[in-house]
Amino acid sequence: MMSTNTNEGGFSSSVVLCGASAYEQKYYLNEAFQNLPEQIKEELQVMCVLYTEDIGGVFLLEFDGNGTLQFHTEAKEDDFSYDEIGSVLKIKELRREKEDLLCSLELYYKVLTGRINPESLR
């Protein structure tokens, strides 16, 4: 089962792909995505862990209701080492450098969830 966040109406609004926490020094990959190629899983892990090492806080990659990957970051209120400005810059850098990977993951998710028929891609 996929981990989801819900909005006020209780409808699923996002599905977590993966994330990392500087506080717990842990990485998480949603079980529903264990079938991704090892190279992609490793790239996601490196991306998330390096983000939290550089910026701090918690970093998540989530698919929104349309199947678009969103970057979500947060920090504890008393975490003065969290780099808020660096976070914005790092996310822009990741979007630019990992554009092909992110687009491929969105397509994979849309096919996996039936938002796109794989036959229409031929």
Side-chain angles (χ1 to χ4, degrees):
M1 177 138 185
M2 296 184 186
S3 298
T4 60
N5 294 328
T6 56
N7 58 22
E8 288 180 21
F11 297 105
S12 176
S13 59
S14 65
V15 175
V16 174
L17 168 63
C18 59
S21 170
Y23 307 119
E24 297 178 22
Q25 295 186 333
K26 289 186 179 181
Y27 170 76
Y28 167 77
L29 176 68
N30 188 329
E31 295 174 357
F33 300 101
Q34 287 298 326
N35 290 337
L36 285 170
E38 286 302 315
Q39 181 181 355
I40 291 175
K41 291 193 288 189
E42 289 171 10
E43 192 169 349
L44 288 170
Q45 182 174 5
V46 168
M47 184 172 68
C48 291
V49 170
L50 286 180
Y51 175 93
T52 57
E53 285 182 2
D54 290 348
I55 305 300
V58 176
F59 179 70
L60 297 173
L61 284 175
E62 302 175 322
F63 292 103
D64 66 15
N66 296 320
T68 304
L69 262 175
Q70 302 294 327
F71 293 73
H72 178 77
T73 183
E74 60 186 54
K76 293 181 179 178
E77 200 169 309
D78 62 347
D79 183 358
F80 300 111
S81 65
Y82 178 76
D83 186 356
E84 203 166 325
I85 295 170
S87 172
V88 173
L89 297 174
K90 186 71 169 178
I91 287 173
K92 284 182 181 181
E93 177 186 325
L94 289 172
R95 286 190 187 278
R96 186 178 60 253
E97 290 180 359
K98 305 291 186 184
E99 182 179 7
D100 290 341
L101 171 66
L102 300 173
C103 288
S104 296
L105 286 166
E106 288 176 354
L107 182 59
Y108 173 84
Y109 179 74
K110 289 173 183 176
V111 169
L112 182 71
T113 59
R115 286 177 171 81
I116 293 180
N117 182 343
E119 295 298 319
S120 68
L121 299 173
R122 293 184 183 177

